[in-house]
Amino acid sequence: QVQLVESGGGSVQSGGSLRLSCAASKYTDGRHCMGWFRQAPGKEREGVAAINSDGYTSYADSVKGRFTISQDNAKNTLYLQMNSLKPEDTAMYYCAAARSPYLPVWLLLHADEYNRWGQGTQVTVSS
């Protein structure tokens, strides 16, 4: 069973940066689709960024050009570099692993494709 543990959240001012990390135990040779999702109070969970086992990435329109997803298979860790943060980025951020070892790019941000979730890390951006 893959266990996912996020870290790196915090409070920053608008325009600041944070890097989220997701430690994934039993991460097997990088052949997993992994993603970052977020949920703000009163809103549905939304896909932020994801990467499939071929290294293809997908980003929500709202974060393109500001967020970068990456993974270090040797360290069993997934990252989300977040730059130029905005107050609307405030949310609980979750790391997730997909059911399938492979997802096409157009499905990468669909939460229903993921069955393993971390506990979340809070990101708060003040104006």
Side-chain angles (χ1 to χ4, degrees):
Q1 184 76 14
V2 175
Q3 293 184 337
L4 307 172
V5 180
E6 303 95 334
S7 61
S11 297
V12 296
Q13 290 189 332
S14 182
S17 298
L18 285 173
R19 188 176 79 157
L20 305 184
S21 299
C22 173
S25 66
K26 300 181 181 181
Y27 195 99
T28 55
D29 66 24
R31 297 186 65 78
H32 284 75
C33 295
M34 301 290 294
W36 288 98
F37 294 78
R38 67 186 181 187
Q39 187 167 20
K43 295 187 177 181
E44 293 187 356
R45 186 170 297 189
E46 64 170 341
V48 175
I51 184 167
N52 72 11
S53 52
D54 288 335
Y56 289 102
T57 58
S58 181
Y59 294 92
D61 288 342
S62 59
V63 307
K64 282 180 181 176
R66 300 189 298 121
F67 290 11
T68 303
I69 188 171
S70 62
Q71 57 187 11
D72 184 334
N73 294 340
K75 296 183 178 179
N76 292 351
T77 303
L78 181 75
Y79 301 100
L80 184 68
Q81 178 66 44
M82 305 186 296
N83 298 328
S84 303
L85 283 161
K86 304 175 180 180
E88 51 263 44
D89 294 319
T90 295
M92 185 72 78
Y93 283 71
Y94 298 91
C95 169
R99 291 184 179 86
S100 172
Y102 177 80
L103 285 174
V105 171
W106 63 275
L107 278 180
L108 279 174
L109 296 182
H110 287 232
D112 289 346
E113 299 296 330
Y114 294 77
N115 64 339
R116 302 180 182 93
W117 296 83
Q119 82 290 349
T121 186
Q122 178 68 37
V123 172
T124 302
V125 184
S126 58
S127 57

